[in-house]
Amino acid sequence: MNQGASFAQQYILKKGLKVFGKRGHEASKKELDQLHRRNCFTPISVAKLLQTKRKKAMEALLFLTEKRDQTIKGRMVYNGKPTREWLSREDAASLTAALESIMITAVINAHEERDVMCVDIPNTFIQTAMPELKAGEERVIMKITGVLVDMVDISSELYGSYVVYEKGRKVLYVQVLKAIYGMLQAALLWYKKFRSDLE
């Protein structure tokens, strides 16, 4: 059995499209189509957004990478880093197993010759709905820009009338309905959902 590490180069969309060409374009559209079919966001009219809300709208980023089987994977993420300014740690910090706990459990499992199983839950975060808004809470707004807007032609009848131009580039504002990767609160929301499902 071959053992070792596998490192994959991730590219931001613009660079990834240059590197992967048509395969990158198809992977990007596949990712956007998946988010659309899973109802991860809904378009909103820019006319209904206050200037302060527009400034808080984080950009969608899309990364491309080539997997070991040579297929191209696209992953759209919410640029959550700037949201640290207004998101409290309690709203964003998820429980994480301590490395020591994992190592101790692994040693016990090996010593007792236990059967161990690992599982991957596909599209983990986007299976988690955003919580209902409480009084005073704001909707999470994301803006899809540039070439990404062109790829939203998966449902032009839904999104087309919401596309606007800002500084010469296309922009689509959407309300986030699912815990999209990159959101600081996504891991905590998933943990709460997973725990309640198990309970």
Side-chain angles (χ1 to χ4, degrees):
M1 182 172 98
N2 290 331
Q3 293 184 342
S6 174
F7 299 95
Q9 174 69 50
Q10 277 197 123
Y11 299 96
I12 193 77
L13 180 63
K14 190 174 181 181
K15 173 72 174 173
L17 291 176
K18 286 181 182 175
V19 173
F20 301 121
K22 185 179 177 184
R23 293 189 307 149
H25 196 271
E26 287 169 359
S28 305
K29 287 192 82 161
K30 183 179 175 186
E31 172 71 359
L32 281 167
D33 181 55
Q34 175 180 245
L35 295 175
H36 164 71
R37 285 184 291 105
R38 289 184 179 265
N39 297 315
C40 291
F41 44 73
T42 187
I44 42 178
S45 170
V46 70
K48 294 181 180 177
L49 285 176
L50 297 172
Q51 188 65 24
T52 53
K53 299 278 193 323
R54 284 170 67 178
K55 284 185 178 178
K56 275 191 171 182
M58 294 297 104
E59 275 199 48
L61 304 172
L62 199 138
F63 296 94
L64 294 171
T65 190
E66 186 172 28
K67 295 162 71 171
R68 281 189 292 183
D69 64 2
Q70 297 186 329
T71 59
I72 307 302
K73 166 72 179 159
R75 172 62 55 93
M76 191 168 93
V77 301
Y78 177 90
N79 183 14
K81 189 174 180 182
T83 63
R84 288 191 191 281
E85 290 180 30
W86 61 83
L87 257 184
S88 71
R89 185 154 178 79
E90 292 79 29
D91 292 331
S94 179
L95 298 175
T96 307
L99 180 59
E100 293 83 1
S101 301
I102 295 169
M103 296 304 290
I104 290 168
T105 303
V107 169
I108 293 168
N109 290 341
H111 179 73
E112 296 183 359
E113 298 181 5
R114 295 178 177 178
D115 290 328
V116 177
M117 181 178 76
C118 294
V119 64
D120 175 42
I121 300 170
N123 310 121
T124 307
F125 291 168
I126 62 172
Q127 293 188 38
T128 309
M130 293 294 290
E132 288 188 30
L133 292 177
K134 296 174 188 162
E137 290 183 337
E138 296 181 355
R139 298 178 293 177
V140 177
I141 307 299
M142 179 171 72
K143 61 181 185 177
I144 300 172
T145 60
V147 68
L148 272 176
V149 177
D150 296 328
M151 292 181 183
V152 185
D153 64 6
I154 47 176
S155 185
S156 55
E157 67 279 357
L158 174 62
Y159 301 109
S161 62
Y162 293 93
V163 175
V164 295
Y165 283 85
E166 290 181 355
K167 297 179 182 173
R169 67 177 183 165
K170 290 181 181 177
V171 178
L172 171 67
Y173 287 88
V174 295
Q175 178 181 347
V176 177
L177 304 176
K178 301 282 179 76
I180 293 177
Y181 291 92
M183 296 174 66
L184 296 184
Q185 63 270 52
L188 179 59
L189 292 172
W190 162 251
Y191 166 78
K192 288 178 177 177
K193 178 189 188 312
F194 188 57
R195 177 176 174 166
S196 68
D197 288 350
L198 289 174
E199 289 173 344

